[in-house]
Amino acid sequence: MKIAVCVSHVPDTATRIKIGADRKTIDSAGVTYIINPYDEFAVEEALKTKEKLGGDSLVYAISVGGDANKESIRKALAMGVDEGILLKDDTQRDSFGIAHALAAEIKSLGCEIAFFGKQSVDFDNSITGQVTAELLDYNCVPVVVDFKLEGSKIIAEREIEGGREVVETELPAVITTQKGLNEPRYASLKGIMASKKKVIAEKPAAQFSNYSEIIDMNLPPSKQPGRILGTDSSAVAELVKLLHEEAKVI
Amino acid sequence: MANKILAILEQREGLLKKVSFEAASVASVLAKDLNLEVEAVVAGSEIKNLNEISKYGIKKIVHLKSSDFENYTSSGYTEAISNYAKEVNAVCLIMGNTALGNDLAPRLAVKLNSGCVMDSINLQVETGEIIATRPVYAGKALVKVKLSSGIKVYTIRPNVFKAVLSENSDAVIEVKEISSPNLRSRVVSFKKSEGKLDVAEADIIVSGGRGMKGPENFNLIESLADSLGAAVGASRAVVDAGWRPHREQVGQTGKTVSPSLYVACGISGAIQHLAGMSSSKYIVAINKDKDAPIFSVADYGIAGDVFEILPALTEEIKKIRS
Ligand SMILES: Cc1cc2nc3c(=O)[nH]c(=O)nc-3n(C[C@H](O)[C@H](O)[C@H](O)COP(=O)(O)OP(=O)(O)OC[C@H]3O[C@@H](n4cnc5c(N)ncnc54)[C@H](O)[C@@H]3O)c2cc1C
Ligand SMILES: Nc1ncnc2c1ncn2[C@@H]1O[C@H](COP(=O)(O)O)[C@@H](O)[C@H]1O
């Protein structure tokens, strides 16, 4: 079976955000980029699925973006993914634009299952997997914390408010992964060496014009630093009074 | 026939969720500004409190009904709601950014050839167009976004928009039976988590970090949470250590929350933690290090020992509550 895993390339979560001069993007000077943390769960699940299926299953890591994204594809290769594909586009695409490119590639590769992260920690849209699935007319279970594939049947648990939903569906499907699903493996030294030798295929991303336009990016209004009321339990009475009378939240 | 804006409501176990009232309220305000007709639409089996929606400026509720809709089915709900939206020429859909909304909104958008903006914290009409504001980079920045598609889909962050009561009138409830819904993908059961309240839905959250020293001390957090009717949250450090379950994690790779009150106990305030909670209305920090970054976002703080402060605080809250 052919298995896809879609990875995005995002600023390290420790990054302090500076707004770019165009006021639509961030200033990327000095920012370290990493594979999207949720996508590591997707890579792991893709590899586990391949191992379980055995035979001649193949895992493809696909990313839409500029050359820099190759770094995250390489990370996936180092973990054990078979082939890397960059769908090249240096412009900024919205999730629909990204999903259109991914859907076209997943279809032409003939992947029956595609793993996504639940969310890319840059724009936090949390929709690319669902949109791709709908474009392909694949089933989709987002935010999965437990995944079983039995023949063509999928039983997946997804995290929702107050508990987990158990969802049943069939291949072909898109799964988006949440922390808790698995423990992503470390890339072995051998894997890292091998990944350096692999050629990442480059193709132009399928044409699509964005549906959304960013008209402004700004920092959230900054907060006045608060009051430290004391250093021991003698401050408790005042704290409760303030919460009750000033903030009126209790 | 005027074009329509639809508030897509969410029900669980036959009861509309709070965010549905917020969505209804937002949709009726936008309808006025854009001169559209507003309707509420809900997929479900039996729903007990449907008529409550009429308090939020809604005159017509469409219930897409099937006994197979008791539990969520993404394929079934998507098909039924998108068909209805096409039938009435809906130009805009508003729903909550919940687990269900997160699954449904993008699928509806694809079916309707529209774009969607997720997790809006403000929706405003400027020169005839809807401008959405939403957090990006886990709230470290905000963007204003405009959709260029003919039909537009928005999800709203729960707890941020007020459900504004308008003059009370009865709403017409139209029931549409959905025969043989699409059940390609469906929820077969629900495993309720042991924790009482989910951080994503709570109005008050009490969170503990590594400063709590061990899982056995979280009873102090739980007692305070109980006294406030709050949910228990956690930093990633304590989730990774296995002291607390992941569903309680607040932060960039956990849940993003904006309760009225967030109490951080023994949490340093790393940037990834702040990203998930700094938009809370009021923040209280209890940390023995007065230079901990959590104090930079806190409204009130006590620079002391959680083991001394927490029991005293719980007692004081109980007093004021009784
Ligand atoms: C990719 C990535 C994603 C991440 N995502 C998240 C996320 O979603 N959420 C998250 O929380 N973190 C996240 N982190 C981790 C984050 O960087 C911090 O490591 C974490 O938040 C620290 O947790 P903490 O505040 O509990 O622990 P610490 O930083 O160790 O802080 C403990 C605090 O307790 C105080 N303390 C100790 N004893 C006492 C006492 N007796 N009384 C009072 N105070 C006391 C100390 O002064 C200290 O400030 C992420 C990191 C990475 C790399
Ligand atoms: N540029 C991209 N290239 C490949 N996959 C992506 C890209 N952007 C997002 N994804 C995938 O879609 C998931 C959800 O992203 P998002 O909808 O942007 O939050 C990510 O975790 C990735 O798996």
Side-chain angles (χ1 to χ4, degrees), chain B residues 234-236 250-252 262 267 269-277 294:
Chain B
S235 71
R236 170 160 157 183
V250 171
Q252 186 157 11
Y262 188 92
I267 292 178
I271 189 164
Q272 296 98 342
H273 190 81
L274 301 185
M277 45 64 77
I294 191 75

Side-chain angles (χ1 to χ4, degrees), chain A residues 91-199:
Chain A
T91 66
Q92 208 172 19
R93 289 189 175 222
D94 67 9
S95 305
F96 286 80
I98 293 169
H100 270 269
L102 292 172
E105 185 61 20
I106 290 168
K107 192 169 170 188
S108 88
L109 290 169
C111 297
E112 279 178 79
I113 189 159
F115 292 95
F116 286 67
K118 77 144 188 162
Q119 172 175 352
S120 191
V121 304
D122 45 9
F123 268 61
D124 297 325
N125 282 307
S126 198
I127 60 171
T128 308
Q130 297 91 303
V131 173
T132 307
E134 204 63 44
L135 291 171
L136 288 164
D137 199 27
Y138 279 20
N139 293 312
C140 178
V141 193
V143 200
V144 166
V145 288
D146 191 71
F147 173 73
K148 283 192 200 76
L149 180 63
E150 291 162 3
S152 66
K153 185 176 169 184
I154 290 168
I155 304 166
E157 290 185 17
R158 77 182 212 103
E159 202 172 66
I160 70 160
E161 299 83 4
R164 290 171 169 204
E165 281 179 343
V166 184
V167 180
E168 282 189 13
T169 191
E170 297 270 329
L171 289 177
V174 166
I175 299 294
T176 86
T177 58
Q178 163 70 319
K179 181 172 175 175
L181 175 62
N182 56 40
E183 276 304 324
R185 66 196 64 186
Y186 289 103
S188 64
L189 194 59
K190 202 172 131 227
I192 295 170
M193 297 314 287
S195 77
K196 289 198 171 134
K197 290 199 206 95
K198 281 192 186 158
V199 180

Side-chain angles (χ1 to χ4, degrees), chain B residues 124-250:
Chain B
Q124 226 170 331
V125 176
E126 286 173 26
T127 56
E129 292 192 273
I130 300 177
I131 307 292
T133 305
R134 63 181 301 270
V136 292
Y137 300 98
K140 292 179 217 164
L142 300 174
V143 287
K144 285 188 174 180
V145 196
K146 196 166 80 177
L147 286 175
S148 56
S149 51
I151 301 173
K152 299 161 172 53
V153 178
Y154 301 93
T155 67
I156 58 170
R157 179 175 286 192
N159 269 332
V160 171
F161 294 83
K162 280 226 162 60
V164 189
L165 290 170
S166 63
E167 77 286 14
N168 204 351
S169 61
D170 269 342
V172 183
I173 300 178
E174 186 184 313
V175 177
K176 279 182 171 274
E177 295 285 343
I178 304 296
S179 55
S180 59
N182 182 341
L183 299 176
R184 262 181 20 183
S185 173
R186 68 208 163 86
V187 173
V188 292
S189 63
F190 179 62
K191 297 182 175 171
K192 216 175 158 75
S193 49
E194 296 142 43
K196 291 143 213 163
L197 204 57
D198 196 284
V199 284
E201 300 199 297
D203 197 43
I204 303 182
I205 297 170
V206 182
S207 279
R210 190 142 46 193
M212 295 307 298
K213 299 287 191 284
E216 65 283 4
N217 299 323
F218 269 74
N219 63 340
L220 297 175
I221 300 282
E222 275 159 5
S223 305
L224 178 58
D226 279 346
S227 72
L228 289 164
V232 172
S235 71
R236 170 160 157 183
V238 309
V239 171
D240 283 355
W243 300 356
R244 302 299 299 182
H246 176 254
R247 65 183 138 80
E248 291 179 0
Q249 183 180 318
V250 171

